[in-house]
Amino acid sequence: MTEAMRHLDHDQQIRRIARLLGIEPGQVADLDAVPVADLRVLHDQLSESLFVAHEESFARVASVSKVIPGAVAGKLAERFLQPALAARAAVMLEPSKAGDLVNKVSVTYLADIAVSLDPVRGQAVIRAIPPARVAEVARELLRRDELAAMAEFAGTVDKAALDAALAVATPEQLVRVAPLLAWNDNIEEIVDELADERLDAILEAVADESLWVEASVLLRRLSPETLARVAARLGRLPHIAAAIPTALVGELAVDLFETGELETMAHFVPVVPHEALATALEVAGGANLLRIAPLIEWTTAVHTIVAALTDDHLDGVLHAMAEEALWTEASVLLRRLEIDTLARVAARLAIHRTIADQIPADLIRALATDLFADDDLDTMALFVPVVSGAALTAAIEVAGAANLLRIAPLIEWSDVVLEVLEALPDSYLDSVLGEVVDQALWSEGEALVEQLDAELRGRIVTRMAAAPSELVDRIRAQVVANTSSPVLGEIVAAVDAAR
Amino acid sequence: MADPSSELSALLGCAPPPSVAALPADTLDRLASQLTAARRAQDVALEGSINSALKAVPLPLRGVVKKVLLG
């Protein structure tokens, strides 16, 4: 609950205590420092004390209903019994008698009683009141803005009566009373069952009356399913979505990330304002950012926000990835990132080599598959110097010979790269030779062989010597015509010597 | 001088919440006084209500109502 909402709730509880004692709220201002939950307890203790003090008298008053007709009892009560006293006597009534009596007194009197009724002790009596009558009392309580009493009342009645009570509330009243309700299954079911039109009206009221504090509390009590519906309705009400305060989304995000309700959070991603979304993703933390990545719609706004993450944020993501082994999630996130951000990730991995070394080959294989499919060799080249040999091997497997040739001039060559290439089977080297010829990748082939060590060059000579004469002849001709590489020249000469 | 917290506890029939018990003595004292006054007012109001109501009960029912209310 936010500070503002706690303040509202606090005020309501102070009012209840003051009413109970028959004094003004200002006369119990000393209780301002007491937490809301303790004020509720104190209220109930005071109420119990007042009840117990004259319990026998209340029982006698209640017993009158057994000996005189309900209509007479109702008239006498309304005329002579103060509502607070009637409330204490009422809890001693037989429930069936109470159900009859509530139709013999005015709604105004009933509402007066309701604000003083002990909801726990009076539960059986309250539940005997027909839903239609409950609705009338609720309307009167709402008219008087007796939200705390309404909330206490609503928390006691059964589902049918609660439904009737909440149905008479205007959307604005519903939003204002909802945070004060002791949330239970009945309330949750009723809220879950609200029609789309009612939800829309509630959202309109929140925006029109700026009831964001109340909405914040309410939203965080909704079931994931209803929250998802709210997000969907907001998608149809962009003027409301645009007005949602950043702080509200941040608070909601904190709650949802804490409770692991990432799918629910994901529903809000496409509808909340940019600033609010930025705050939500900021509070997510590295692990949650990874976990939510596969669930969200990657809108332009999301890309913009992710691109604006600081190096510290990116490092947080990378650390979480390694510490919590969120490799699957990381794979999705990396493949969603725009190229500039991906390049930044590669740069951060270059700084955090211990993390980079832990990245599983499968993750890099998936990333490489995407990057090669997109012909994005520049970005792939950024990852070559930072990932492990096993990951590089996986990347080369999906690259294919042609892509290996094309990326060769772009990458930073290292012992790790050479070791990976040395481990490639002869069939792969044959493919590389074939691609050089078939796709006329002469300059790429030249760049590649110039980086190779003597051992690899020797293997290439061996493979070429074993290749069909026609292929070797074509290579020789192309080398003479298209390259001035002394390395290639040496290789061709070595092949000729070996044949 | 009586312990205000004990006095309030005695009136409540139980210990108040710790955050209330920790309030300054004069606050607890005032709260106890307010509760005592409320109980006294309730006593007076109950008696007044019963007496007034009895006078208004239809005559044929007055006896039985009086018996129920006053024993």
Side-chain angles (χ1 to χ4, degrees):
Chain A
M1 186 177 281
T2 62
E3 192 53 42
M5 194 61 234
R6 203 171 287 119
H7 190 66
L8 287 177
D9 201 6
H10 196 277
D11 284 352
Q12 293 281 346
Q13 295 308 322
I14 290 284
R15 275 178 69 182
R16 289 181 74 215
I17 288 173
R19 179 187 296 120
L20 199 57
L21 296 172
I23 56 182
E24 292 299 314
Q27 292 177 266
V28 281
D30 293 350
L31 300 176
D32 273 352
V34 177
V36 173
D38 285 354
L39 285 179
R40 283 180 192 277
V41 173
L42 178 63
H43 172 274
D44 292 349
Q45 289 176 335
L46 292 167
S47 176
E48 182 69 8
S49 170
L50 286 166
F51 177 80
V52 169
H54 302 97
E55 185 171 356
E56 195 182 332
S57 297
F58 292 131
R60 288 175 179 277
V61 170
S63 293
V64 171
S65 66
K66 295 178 186 171
V67 298
I68 61 174
V72 178
K75 272 186 185 170
L76 284 172
E78 188 158 359
R79 189 169 164 202
F80 297 107
L81 201 58
Q82 290 176 9
L85 302 180
R88 282 166 209 137
V91 301
M92 310 290 276
L93 289 170
E94 286 176 8
S96 60
K97 198 57 87 175
D100 176 46
L101 276 174
V102 291
N103 290 316
K104 312 296 184 194
V105 295
S106 69
V107 170
T108 308
Y109 185 62
L110 272 180
D112 289 340
I113 292 173
V115 296
S116 298
L117 206 55
D118 178 339
V120 177
R121 203 180 268 277
Q123 188 175 54
V125 168
I126 294 169
R127 289 196 168 183
I129 304 172
R133 199 63 167 159
V134 169
E136 289 174 330
V137 176
R139 185 180 284 113
E140 178 63 17
L141 290 175
L142 290 166
R143 189 189 65 75
R144 298 180 189 180
D145 210 27
E146 289 283 3
L147 299 182
M150 170 69 190
E152 295 292 335
F153 197 55
T156 307
V157 296
D158 61 21
K159 190 187 168 194
L162 179 62
D163 210 358
L166 295 182
V168 300
T170 65
E172 179 202 340
Q173 289 169 333
L174 201 55
V175 174
R176 292 177 61 228
V177 79
L180 305 177
L181 295 170
W183 214 249
N184 58 32
D185 290 347
N186 285 342
I187 296 171
E188 184 155 319
E189 280 177 32
I190 289 169
V191 173
D192 285 350
E193 291 163 6
L194 287 175
D196 285 346
E197 295 72 24
R198 181 78 158 159
L199 266 186
D200 289 355
I202 290 169
L203 292 170
E204 294 278 4
V206 168
D208 290 349
E209 305 296 329
S210 284
L211 298 172
W212 301 110
V213 171
E214 292 83 352
S216 171
V217 179
L218 180 55
L219 282 174
R220 284 183 283 156
R221 287 179 169 178
L222 297 181
S223 67
E225 294 77 15
T226 303
L227 256 185
R229 279 184 62 211
V230 169
R233 300 312 300 172
L234 282 171
R236 293 163 177 265
L237 303 165
H239 62 290
I240 296 174
I244 299 176
T246 299
L248 188 156
V249 178
E251 288 164 5
L252 185 64
V254 168
D255 276 7
L256 293 176
F257 285 128
E258 272 180 7
T259 53
E261 292 173 60
L262 301 180
E263 287 188 19
T264 307
M265 187 65 226
H267 288 299
F268 281 90
V269 167
V271 295
V272 298
H274 183 101
E275 288 298 322
L277 182 59
T279 300
L281 295 182
E282 197 171 298
V283 301
N288 282 321
L289 200 56
L290 284 160
R291 290 195 179 100
I292 203 170
L295 308 175
I296 61 174
E297 184 181 331
W298 279 77
T299 58
T300 305
V302 173
H303 279 297
T304 306
I305 290 164
V306 172
L309 290 177
T310 63
D311 285 346
D312 283 346
H313 276 124
L314 284 183
D315 290 352
V317 172
L318 296 175
H319 281 292
M321 171 184 75
E323 285 165 10
E324 301 189 34
L326 297 170
W327 306 114
T328 306
E329 294 82 354
S331 177
V332 175
L333 177 62
L334 290 177
R335 288 151 70 195
R336 293 269 201 272
L337 295 180
E338 288 180 330
I339 298 308
D340 289 348
T341 311
L342 201 52
R344 283 185 60 213
V345 170
R348 300 312 298 171
L349 283 172
I351 294 169
H352 302 288
R353 299 301 294 251
T354 52
I355 295 175
D357 288 342
Q358 297 174 59
I359 298 177
D362 283 346
L363 191 157
I364 296 299
R365 179 185 286 112
L367 181 64
T369 302
D370 282 0
L371 291 174
F372 286 124
D374 291 344
D375 205 25
D376 187 4
L377 303 182
D378 288 331
T379 305
M380 189 65 234
L382 294 171
F383 280 87
V384 170
V386 295
V387 298
S388 67
L392 266 188
T393 302
I396 288 173
E397 281 170 12
V398 298
N403 279 323
L404 176 61
L405 284 158
R406 291 166 61 224
I407 204 171
L410 308 175
I411 65 172
E412 181 183 316
W413 285 81
S414 65
D415 289 345
V416 175
V417 177
L418 287 172
E419 283 168 19
V420 168
L421 293 182
E422 280 165 8
L424 290 174
D426 287 344
S427 58
Y428 200 100
L429 295 182
D430 293 347
S431 303
V432 172
L433 291 171
E435 292 290 352
V436 169
V437 176
D438 292 346
Q439 298 194 35
L441 298 171
W442 304 107
S443 61
E444 289 84 353
E446 179 184 322
L448 177 61
V449 296
E450 287 192 350
Q451 298 294 341
L452 302 183
D453 57 15
E455 184 189 337
L456 267 167
R457 288 179 192 169
R459 279 182 66 197
I460 286 177
V461 169
T462 305
R463 299 313 302 163
M464 284 178 68
S469 300
E470 185 192 9
L471 181 69
V472 178
D473 290 343
R474 287 178 65 188
I475 292 175
R476 185 188 300 106
Q478 288 296 335
V479 167
V480 171
N482 296 309
T483 82
S484 56
S485 164
V487 177
L488 272 178
E490 287 167 18
I491 286 176
V492 170
V495 171
D496 288 341
R499 287 170 73 91
Chain B
M1 185 179 160
D3 176 359
S5 177
S6 299
E7 194 182 341
L8 182 60
S9 295
L11 282 167
L12 293 176
C14 59
S19 61
V20 175
L23 290 170
D26 58 339
T27 301
L28 295 176
D29 201 22
R30 185 158 43 249
L31 194 56
S33 300
Q34 288 165 335
L35 179 55
T36 302
R39 285 168 67 150
R40 198 175 302 123
Q42 178 173 265
D43 189 28
V44 171
L46 254 177
E47 190 180 342
S49 295
I50 289 171
N51 291 335
S52 305
L54 269 178
K55 289 176 192 162
V57 174
L59 212 51
L61 298 169
R62 195 171 297 168
V64 67
V65 171
K66 190 172 182 180
K67 191 175 177 190
V68 169
L69 285 174
L70 304 177

